[in-house]
């Protein structure tokens, strides 16, 4: 039994780093600085970071019984994440995602046409037994593509007495109101501002927060990139800044690292603002390297990042604890 269970998608992330400005598809040969390969997917990134921060964590996903799937299994085994509840199917293909890191700009991603259309599965009581926190790492992706399936999974988490955290993928073809009943079980919801606005069809993060709070979400935590985070619940509303860092290298997985830092702090009984401090620190480490799960190696590294802000940028650190 694990303290945290992360449920979502798994894939191979293949990074093409430093692609040249004169890249031309008509040329038979183009150059880049380097290539990097890692495993990815929201639940993958969250669970691997949590494990490195000392959390007892398991992951649940579906993957193919193929070569990319074998790489996924190998990397999880290296990290020591429990994958015993994952679904492995000979009828599915493990996706490979091509990523072009763009530093301060939004990364470019190429995904298979049917990315996420792998073998579906239902979340069962056995998958989450004994967990204190369950993370639905990629709502609107497998296994949360259907409203009824999502509702049943969310209700099961609450029936088992666990805290439910959710992140989401933006899908403009989805009417999020179809998922309204499932959101009543969500304790912490972590969309970024594009996802929050795109799904709610509203103009501001404040409006989007109210939209989802009306669905029954307990805490809205909207990530706003370099502008930090906007938070609202039934009793308080505030904004917190992003950490100061020297250079953004790759934003892939920043939100997943944010969720992992938040969950780690929550397990330790920290306050909401302390959880957000850990989340912001974890995310800030992630975006300074290539890859979604290559930056954070330990909880001490996250603590050191917090202390660095406290010493060198006290106005940022202090903002997390002002009334």
């Amino acid at each position: 039994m694990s303290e945290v269970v992360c449920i979502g998608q798994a894939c191979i992330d293949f990074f093409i780093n430093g692609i040249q400005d004169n890249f031309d598809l008509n040329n038979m040969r183009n150059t880049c600085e380097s290539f990097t390969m890692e495993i990815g997917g929201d639940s993958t990134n969250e669970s691997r970071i949590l494990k490195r921060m000392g959390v007892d964590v398991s992951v649940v996903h579906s993957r193919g019984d193929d070569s990319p799937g074998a790489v996924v299994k190998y990397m999880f085994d290296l990290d020591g994440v429990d994958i015993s509840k994952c679904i492995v199917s000979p009828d599915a293909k493990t996706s490979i995602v091509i990523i072009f890191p763009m530093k301060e700009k939004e990364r470019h991603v190429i995904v298979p046409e049917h990315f996420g259309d792998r073998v579906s599965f239902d979340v069962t009581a056995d998958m989450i037994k004994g967990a204190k926190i369950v993370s639905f790492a990629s709502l609107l992706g497998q296994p949360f593509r259907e409203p009824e399936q999502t509702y049943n999974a969310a209700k099961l988490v609450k029936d088992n007495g666990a805290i439910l955290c959710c992140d989401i993928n933006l899908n403009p073809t989805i009417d999020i109101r179809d998922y309204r009943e499932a959101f009543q079980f969500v304790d912490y919801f972590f969309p970024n501002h594009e996802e929050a606005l795109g799904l709610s069809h509203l103009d501001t993060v404040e409006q989007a927060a109210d939209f989802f709070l009306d669905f029954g979400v307990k805490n809205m935590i909207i990530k706003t990139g370099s502008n930090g985070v906007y938070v609202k619940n039934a009793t308080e509303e505030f904004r917190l800044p992003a950490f100061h860092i020297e250079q953004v290298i790759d934003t892939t997985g920043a939100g997943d690292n944010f969720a992992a830092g938040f969950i780690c702090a929550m397990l330790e009984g920290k306050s909401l603002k302390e959880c957000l401090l850990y989340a912001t620190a974890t995310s800030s480490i992630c975006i300074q390297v290539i890859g979604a799960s290559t930056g954070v190696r330990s909880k001490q590294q996250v603590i050191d990042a917090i202390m660095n802000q406290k010493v060198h940028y006290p106005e940022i650190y202090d903002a997390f604890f002002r009334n």
Side-chain angles (χ1 to χ4, degrees), residues 301-312:
Q301 185 183 6
V302 174
I303 294 171
D304 290 345
I306 293 171
M307 294 307 298
N308 179 68
Q309 295 294 308
K310 183 175 183 179
V311 172
H312 298 288

Side-chain angles (χ1 to χ4, degrees), residues 70 178 221 251 271 304 306:
D178 293 339
I221 299 170
T251 60
S271 68
D304 290 345
I306 293 171

Side-chain angles (χ1 to χ4, degrees), residues 15 36-39 44-46 48-50 52-53 75 79 249-254 256-258 260 281-305:
F15 296 86
T36 306
M37 189 182 76
E38 261 291 352
I39 60 174
T44 298
N45 302 330
E46 283 186 22
R48 296 179 80 200
I49 298 303
L50 281 165
R52 293 173 194 165
M53 294 177 74
M75 296 300 289
D79 278 321
I249 300 298
D250 176 24
T251 60
T252 307
D256 306 330
N257 279 256
F258 183 98
T282 307
S283 181
S284 75
I285 296 169
C286 168
I287 62 177
Q288 296 181 72
V289 298
I290 297 290
S293 55
T294 52
V296 175
R297 310 308 303 181
S298 68
K299 184 169 70 173
Q300 186 59 51
Q301 185 183 6
V302 174
I303 294 171
D304 290 345

Side-chain angles (χ1 to χ4, degrees), residues 102-230:
M102 302 297 289
K103 297 187 178 180
E104 283 83 0
K105 300 177 182 178
E106 186 62 34
R107 67 194 183 279
H108 294 299
V109 180
I110 301 175
V111 300
E113 183 177 1
H114 300 290
F115 179 69
D117 291 346
R118 62 200 69 178
V119 175
S120 184
F121 61 93
D122 291 325
V123 177
T124 66
D126 183 55
M127 292 174 177
I128 62 173
K129 182 179 179 181
K132 296 178 181 177
I133 300 172
V134 176
S135 174
F136 290 179
S138 41
L139 284 180
L140 307 186
Q142 293 288 18
F144 308 112
R145 295 185 70 115
E146 300 298 330
E148 182 177 1
Q149 197 174 28
T150 305
Y151 171 86
N152 291 337
K155 184 176 185 300
L156 183 64
V157 171
K158 300 313 295 181
D159 287 345
N160 280 265
I163 295 170
L164 178 57
C165 298
C166 290
D167 207 338
I168 199 164
N169 296 314
L170 178 59
N171 185 337
T173 68
I174 293 290
D175 187 342
I176 200 64
R177 292 171 296 183
D178 293 339
Y179 294 77
R180 181 184 183 115
E181 294 303 312
F183 277 101
Q184 67 182 297
F185 303 115
V186 176
D187 295 295
Y188 297 91
F189 186 30
F190 303 120
N192 65 36
H193 65 286
E194 291 181 352
E195 292 158 348
L197 300 183
L199 291 167
S200 65
H201 300 289
L202 294 169
D203 298 324
T204 69
V205 293
E206 292 85 357
Q207 293 171 336
D210 288 337
F211 178 87
F212 286 104
L213 289 171
D214 188 54
F215 278 10
V217 175
K218 308 303 182 295
N219 295 273
M220 282 300 301
I221 299 170
I222 302 179
K223 300 161 292 188
T224 58
S226 60
N227 292 320
V229 61
Y230 170 78

